[in-house]
Amino acid sequence: MSAAKLLLVEDDPALSELLEYRFSKEGYQVRSTADGDEAILLAREEAPDLVILDWMIEGTSGIEVCRRLRRDKDTAHVPIIMLTARETEDDRVRGLETGADDYLTKPFSPRELLARIGAVMRRIRPALAGETIGVGDLVLDPVAHKVQRGGESLHLGPTEYRLLKFFMESPGRVFSRNQLLDGVWGTGSDIELRTVDVHIRRLRKAITIGDMSDPIRTVRSAGYSLEA
């Protein structure tokens, strides 16, 4: 299996050098920049497997970089771990609402950051490698485009399949309707938000068989998530 590609966006030269060394030692391929605008260009040039993004950087701010990566269909699915010296709850919430998958407050130990990166990579690696993805009793084969639940084959339409795969790549994460629209239909789509609800209902009907529970959770005023 090829080494995972990390994009490090950090403007502290000493910290950047330390993290690059530790990431490389762990077998990751690392590209780094101190500039937010360059980070966006690098991510669009070759989508990384994961972004480590400092909030306070040169050029475009980290929070805006995160927002733009989430809006681009080529990087919308890339996990983002945000680094920041900001400690207030409002700042953490803002970072997560913008699209960050995890949040680490400075100062932190490289060991903790590596542990968090490892947790994210274990989650997404099956999808990257074309291997089956399992969440609970759901199993999705991205090569054969087949889905099973409890060993029984499910019949999903193309959109419902893409929607389920998107959920299964980030189990437990709550996605807004806009995020689902961008991630499944692509940015710039003229599909209406209510269409997302229609396909969620179809997906629920397709994967809830017999007396099995509905694994898709509706989060009031937030969106939907697939229970891990």
Side-chain angles (χ1 to χ4, degrees):
M1 185 181 296
S2 61
K5 301 185 293 291
L6 305 184
L7 174 59
L8 173 63
V9 189
E10 169 60 60
D11 65 354
D12 181 331
L15 179 57
S16 180
E17 184 178 353
L18 171 62
L19 293 179
E20 279 191 73
Y21 171 76
R22 292 296 298 271
F23 295 158
S24 298
K25 191 174 179 181
E26 292 295 322
Y28 294 112
Q29 294 181 26
V30 188
R31 290 195 298 172
S32 66
T33 178
D35 183 85
D37 298 304
E38 185 179 16
I40 295 169
L41 292 175
L42 289 173
R44 288 174 176 169
E45 179 183 283
E46 182 182 6
D49 296 322
L50 186 143
V51 177
I52 302 96
L53 177 62
D54 189 14
W55 186 308
M56 302 297 291
I57 52 177
E58 299 171 12
T60 301
S61 70
I63 201 79
E64 181 60 25
V65 171
C66 181
R67 184 177 290 112
R68 292 187 190 181
L69 293 180
R70 284 287 172 258
R71 288 175 177 171
D72 190 323
K73 64 184 177 69
D74 293 327
T75 56
H77 312 327
V78 176
I80 297 172
I81 297 178
M82 186 159 280
L83 311 177
T84 181
R86 297 170 178 260
E87 297 181 355
T88 68
E89 181 181 359
D90 286 346
D91 287 328
R92 291 197 299 271
V93 169
R94 183 183 172 198
L96 294 170
E97 287 181 342
T98 302
D101 295 86
D102 203 351
Y103 192 103
L104 201 54
T105 303
K106 296 178 177 179
F108 58 85
S109 72
R111 182 180 178 185
E112 180 181 3
L113 177 56
L114 282 166
R116 297 197 185 201
I117 291 172
V120 173
M121 295 309 303
R122 284 192 296 273
R123 188 191 77 208
I124 68 171
R125 258 310 181 182
L128 292 174
E131 300 170 3
T132 57
I133 311 168
V135 177
D137 56 1
L138 281 165
V139 178
L140 183 147
D141 184 337
V143 176
H145 279 244
K146 293 182 179 179
V147 180
Q148 291 186 329
R149 186 173 187 195
E152 183 173 340
S153 295
L154 304 179
H155 301 287
L156 276 64
T159 302
E160 286 69 46
Y161 173 86
R162 294 197 309 273
L163 186 58
L164 179 61
K165 184 173 182 288
F166 186 78
F167 274 129
M168 291 181 72
E169 288 172 349
S170 302
R173 177 178 171 182
V174 179
F175 291 101
S176 68
R177 289 170 177 80
N178 276 316
Q179 288 173 326
L180 291 171
L181 197 61
D182 290 346
V184 177
W185 283 267
T187 54
S189 171
D190 58 0
I191 300 295
E192 296 182 3
L193 282 179
R194 62 184 179 182
T195 301
V196 174
D197 298 321
V198 172
H199 287 284
I200 289 286
R201 288 197 295 271
R202 291 179 180 174
L203 177 58
R204 279 180 159 147
K205 184 176 181 180
I207 64 179
T208 306
I209 54 179
D211 57 356
M212 292 181 175
S213 61
D214 180 2
I216 298 177
R217 181 168 64 100
T218 301
V219 182
R220 187 184 296 269
S221 302
Y224 301 98
S225 72
L226 180 70
E227 292 297 289

Short mmCIF file of all heavy atoms in Angstrom, two decimals, residues 1-2 121-135 138-147 161 164-165 168-169:
data_model
loop_
_atom_site.label_atom_id
_atom_site.label_comp_id
_atom_site.label_asym_id
_atom_site.label_seq_id
_atom_site.Cartn_x
_atom_site.Cartn_y
_atom_site.Cartn_z
N MET A 1 0.84 -1.18 0.00
CA MET A 1 0.00 0.00 0.00
C MET A 1 0.88 1.24 0.00
O MET A 1 1.85 1.32 0.75
CB MET A 1 -0.91 -0.01 1.23
CG MET A 1 -1.93 1.12 1.27
SD MET A 1 -2.95 1.04 2.77
CE MET A 1 -3.79 -0.52 2.48
N SER A 2 0.59 2.23 -0.84
CA SER A 2 1.43 3.42 -0.93
C SER A 2 1.29 4.26 0.33
O SER A 2 0.30 4.20 1.04
CB SER A 2 1.01 4.24 -2.15
OG SER A 2 -0.33 4.65 -2.05
N MET A 121 -6.49 8.04 9.48
CA MET A 121 -6.03 7.23 8.36
C MET A 121 -6.58 5.81 8.42
O MET A 121 -6.89 5.20 7.39
CB MET A 121 -4.50 7.20 8.31
CG MET A 121 -3.85 8.55 8.02
SD MET A 121 -4.53 9.39 6.56
CE MET A 121 -4.25 8.16 5.30
N ARG A 122 -6.71 5.27 9.62
CA ARG A 122 -7.29 3.92 9.73
C ARG A 122 -8.73 3.91 9.25
O ARG A 122 -9.20 2.92 8.71
CB ARG A 122 -7.22 3.44 11.19
CG ARG A 122 -5.83 3.00 11.62
CD ARG A 122 -5.87 2.26 12.95
NE ARG A 122 -6.31 3.12 14.04
CZ ARG A 122 -5.50 3.89 14.75
NH1 ARG A 122 -4.21 3.95 14.46
NH2 ARG A 122 -5.97 4.62 15.75
N ARG A 123 -9.40 5.04 9.44
CA ARG A 123 -10.79 5.14 9.02
C ARG A 123 -10.91 5.24 7.51
O ARG A 123 -11.78 4.63 6.90
CB ARG A 123 -11.43 6.35 9.67
CG ARG A 123 -12.94 6.45 9.46
CD ARG A 123 -13.43 7.80 9.90
NE ARG A 123 -13.11 8.82 8.91
CZ ARG A 123 -12.92 10.09 9.18
NH1 ARG A 123 -12.96 10.51 10.42
NH2 ARG A 123 -12.65 10.96 8.21
N ILE A 124 -10.04 6.05 6.88
CA ILE A 124 -10.21 6.33 5.45
C ILE A 124 -9.41 5.40 4.54
O ILE A 124 -9.69 5.32 3.35
CB ILE A 124 -9.86 7.79 5.11
CG1 ILE A 124 -8.35 8.04 5.28
CG2 ILE A 124 -10.66 8.75 5.96
CD1 ILE A 124 -7.90 9.40 4.76
N ARG A 125 -8.42 4.69 5.09
CA ARG A 125 -7.55 3.87 4.24
C ARG A 125 -8.30 2.82 3.41
O ARG A 125 -7.96 2.60 2.25
CB ARG A 125 -6.47 3.19 5.08
CG ARG A 125 -5.09 3.84 4.99
CD ARG A 125 -4.68 4.07 3.56
NE ARG A 125 -3.36 4.66 3.45
CZ ARG A 125 -2.80 5.00 2.32
NH1 ARG A 125 -3.44 4.85 1.20
NH2 ARG A 125 -1.59 5.52 2.28
N PRO A 126 -9.31 2.13 3.96
CA PRO A 126 -10.01 1.14 3.13
C PRO A 126 -10.57 1.74 1.85
O PRO A 126 -10.48 1.16 0.78
CB PRO A 126 -11.14 0.66 4.06
CG PRO A 126 -10.59 0.85 5.42
CD PRO A 126 -9.79 2.12 5.34
N ALA A 127 -11.12 2.96 1.96
CA ALA A 127 -11.68 3.60 0.77
C ALA A 127 -10.58 3.98 -0.21
O ALA A 127 -10.73 3.85 -1.42
CB ALA A 127 -12.48 4.84 1.17
N LEU A 128 -9.46 4.48 0.32
CA LEU A 128 -8.36 4.87 -0.56
C LEU A 128 -7.77 3.68 -1.30
O LEU A 128 -7.33 3.79 -2.44
CB LEU A 128 -7.25 5.54 0.27
CG LEU A 128 -7.59 6.90 0.89
CD1 LEU A 128 -6.45 7.35 1.80
CD2 LEU A 128 -7.86 7.94 -0.18
N ALA A 129 -7.72 2.54 -0.64
CA ALA A 129 -7.09 1.36 -1.22
C ALA A 129 -8.05 0.54 -2.08
O ALA A 129 -7.67 -0.49 -2.63
CB ALA A 129 -6.52 0.49 -0.10
N GLY A 130 -9.30 0.96 -2.16
CA GLY A 130 -10.27 0.19 -2.93
C GLY A 130 -10.75 -1.04 -2.19
O GLY A 130 -11.35 -1.94 -2.77
N GLU A 131 -10.48 -1.10 -0.88
CA GLU A 131 -10.91 -2.23 -0.08
C GLU A 131 -12.33 -2.00 0.41
O GLU A 131 -12.86 -0.89 0.35
CB GLU A 131 -9.96 -2.42 1.11
CG GLU A 131 -8.52 -2.68 0.70
CD GLU A 131 -7.57 -2.61 1.87
OE1 GLU A 131 -8.04 -2.42 3.01
OE2 GLU A 131 -6.35 -2.72 1.66
N THR A 132 -12.96 -3.05 0.94
CA THR A 132 -14.31 -2.91 1.45
C THR A 132 -14.32 -1.99 2.67
O THR A 132 -13.36 -1.94 3.44
CB THR A 132 -14.90 -4.28 1.83
OG1 THR A 132 -14.04 -4.90 2.80
CG2 THR A 132 -15.03 -5.17 0.62
N ILE A 133 -15.40 -1.27 2.82
CA ILE A 133 -15.59 -0.37 3.95
C ILE A 133 -16.68 -0.96 4.83
O ILE A 133 -17.76 -1.30 4.34
CB ILE A 133 -16.00 1.04 3.50
CG1 ILE A 133 -15.07 1.54 2.39
CG2 ILE A 133 -16.02 2.01 4.66
CD1 ILE A 133 -15.59 2.79 1.70
N GLY A 134 -16.41 -1.08 6.10
CA GLY A 134 -17.40 -1.63 7.02
C GLY A 134 -17.76 -0.64 8.11
O GLY A 134 -16.89 -0.07 8.75
N VAL A 135 -19.05 -0.44 8.31
CA VAL A 135 -19.55 0.37 9.40
C VAL A 135 -20.72 -0.38 10.03
O VAL A 135 -21.76 -0.56 9.39
CB VAL A 135 -20.02 1.77 8.93
CG1 VAL A 135 -20.60 2.55 10.10
CG2 VAL A 135 -18.87 2.55 8.30
N LEU A 138 -23.01 -2.84 8.02
CA LEU A 138 -23.00 -2.44 6.62
C LEU A 138 -21.61 -2.66 6.03
O LEU A 138 -20.60 -2.30 6.64
CB LEU A 138 -23.36 -0.97 6.47
CG LEU A 138 -24.85 -0.59 6.55
CD1 LEU A 138 -24.99 0.91 6.77
CD2 LEU A 138 -25.58 -1.01 5.28
N VAL A 139 -21.55 -3.26 4.85
CA VAL A 139 -20.28 -3.49 4.15
C VAL A 139 -20.44 -3.00 2.72
O VAL A 139 -21.36 -3.42 2.01
CB VAL A 139 -19.90 -4.98 4.16
CG1 VAL A 139 -18.60 -5.19 3.39
CG2 VAL A 139 -19.74 -5.49 5.59
N LEU A 140 -19.53 -2.13 2.31
CA LEU A 140 -19.57 -1.57 0.95
C LEU A 140 -18.29 -1.95 0.23
O LEU A 140 -17.20 -1.74 0.74
CB LEU A 140 -19.75 -0.06 1.01
CG LEU A 140 -19.90 0.68 -0.33
CD1 LEU A 140 -20.84 1.89 -0.17
CD2 LEU A 140 -18.54 1.16 -0.85
N ASP A 141 -18.45 -2.51 -0.97
CA ASP A 141 -17.31 -2.87 -1.82
C ASP A 141 -17.22 -1.83 -2.93
O ASP A 141 -18.02 -1.85 -3.87
CB ASP A 141 -17.53 -4.27 -2.42
CG ASP A 141 -16.34 -4.74 -3.25
OD1 ASP A 141 -15.56 -3.89 -3.73
OD2 ASP A 141 -16.19 -5.96 -3.44
N PRO A 142 -16.26 -0.88 -2.85
CA PRO A 142 -16.18 0.19 -3.83
C PRO A 142 -15.72 -0.25 -5.21
O PRO A 142 -15.90 0.47 -6.18
CB PRO A 142 -15.18 1.17 -3.21
CG PRO A 142 -14.32 0.33 -2.34
CD PRO A 142 -15.21 -0.76 -1.82
N VAL A 143 -15.10 -1.42 -5.30
CA VAL A 143 -14.66 -1.94 -6.60
C VAL A 143 -15.82 -2.59 -7.34
O VAL A 143 -16.09 -2.31 -8.51
CB VAL A 143 -13.50 -2.93 -6.43
CG1 VAL A 143 -13.11 -3.52 -7.79
CG2 VAL A 143 -12.29 -2.25 -5.78
N ALA A 144 -16.55 -3.47 -6.64
CA ALA A 144 -17.69 -4.16 -7.24
C ALA A 144 -18.97 -3.34 -7.19
O ALA A 144 -19.98 -3.73 -7.80
CB ALA A 144 -17.91 -5.50 -6.53
N HIS A 145 -18.94 -2.21 -6.47
CA HIS A 145 -20.12 -1.37 -6.29
C HIS A 145 -21.28 -2.17 -5.71
O HIS A 145 -22.42 -2.09 -6.17
CB HIS A 145 -20.55 -0.71 -7.62
CG HIS A 145 -19.74 0.50 -7.95
ND1 HIS A 145 -20.28 1.76 -8.04
CD2 HIS A 145 -18.42 0.65 -8.21
CE1 HIS A 145 -19.33 2.64 -8.34
NE2 HIS A 145 -18.20 1.99 -8.44
N LYS A 146 -20.98 -2.93 -4.66
CA LYS A 146 -22.00 -3.74 -4.00
C LYS A 146 -22.06 -3.37 -2.52
O LYS A 146 -21.05 -3.00 -1.92
CB LYS A 146 -21.68 -5.23 -4.15
CG LYS A 146 -21.80 -5.75 -5.57
CD LYS A 146 -21.52 -7.24 -5.64
CE LYS A 146 -21.66 -7.77 -7.06
NZ LYS A 146 -21.36 -9.23 -7.14
N VAL A 147 -23.26 -3.48 -1.96
CA VAL A 147 -23.47 -3.18 -0.55
C VAL A 147 -24.23 -4.33 0.10
O VAL A 147 -25.18 -4.87 -0.49
CB VAL A 147 -24.27 -1.87 -0.36
CG1 VAL A 147 -24.47 -1.58 1.12
CG2 VAL A 147 -23.57 -0.71 -1.05
N TYR A 161 -26.16 5.04 -3.58
CA TYR A 161 -24.87 4.37 -3.37
C TYR A 161 -23.79 5.41 -3.04
O TYR A 161 -23.03 5.24 -2.08
CB TYR A 161 -24.47 3.58 -4.61
CG TYR A 161 -23.06 3.00 -4.54
CD1 TYR A 161 -22.83 1.78 -3.92
CD2 TYR A 161 -21.97 3.71 -5.05
CE1 TYR A 161 -21.53 1.27 -3.84
CE2 TYR A 161 -20.69 3.21 -4.97
CZ TYR A 161 -20.48 1.98 -4.36
OH TYR A 161 -19.20 1.49 -4.25
N LEU A 164 -24.39 6.79 0.47
CA LEU A 164 -23.99 5.86 1.52
C LEU A 164 -22.47 5.78 1.63
O LEU A 164 -21.91 5.76 2.74
CB LEU A 164 -24.57 4.47 1.25
CG LEU A 164 -24.20 3.39 2.27
CD1 LEU A 164 -24.71 3.76 3.65
CD2 LEU A 164 -24.74 2.03 1.84
N LYS A 165 -21.78 5.73 0.50
CA LYS A 165 -20.31 5.68 0.52
C LYS A 165 -19.74 6.92 1.20
O LYS A 165 -18.80 6.83 2.00
CB LYS A 165 -19.78 5.55 -0.90
CG LYS A 165 -18.25 5.39 -1.00
CD LYS A 165 -17.84 5.10 -2.45
CE LYS A 165 -16.35 4.90 -2.57
NZ LYS A 165 -15.60 6.15 -2.42
N MET A 168 -20.22 6.45 4.86
CA MET A 168 -19.40 5.38 5.43
C MET A 168 -17.92 5.76 5.51
O MET A 168 -17.17 5.17 6.30
CB MET A 168 -19.58 4.08 4.63
CG MET A 168 -20.97 3.47 4.80
SD MET A 168 -21.19 1.91 3.88
CE MET A 168 -20.16 0.79 4.87
N GLU A 169 -17.49 6.70 4.70
CA GLU A 169 -16.10 7.15 4.77
C GLU A 169 -15.85 8.05 5.98
O GLU A 169 -14.70 8.28 6.36
CB GLU A 169 -15.73 7.89 3.47
CG GLU A 169 -15.59 6.94 2.29
CD GLU A 169 -15.42 7.68 0.96
OE1 GLU A 169 -15.63 8.91 0.95
OE2 GLU A 169 -15.10 7.03 -0.03
#
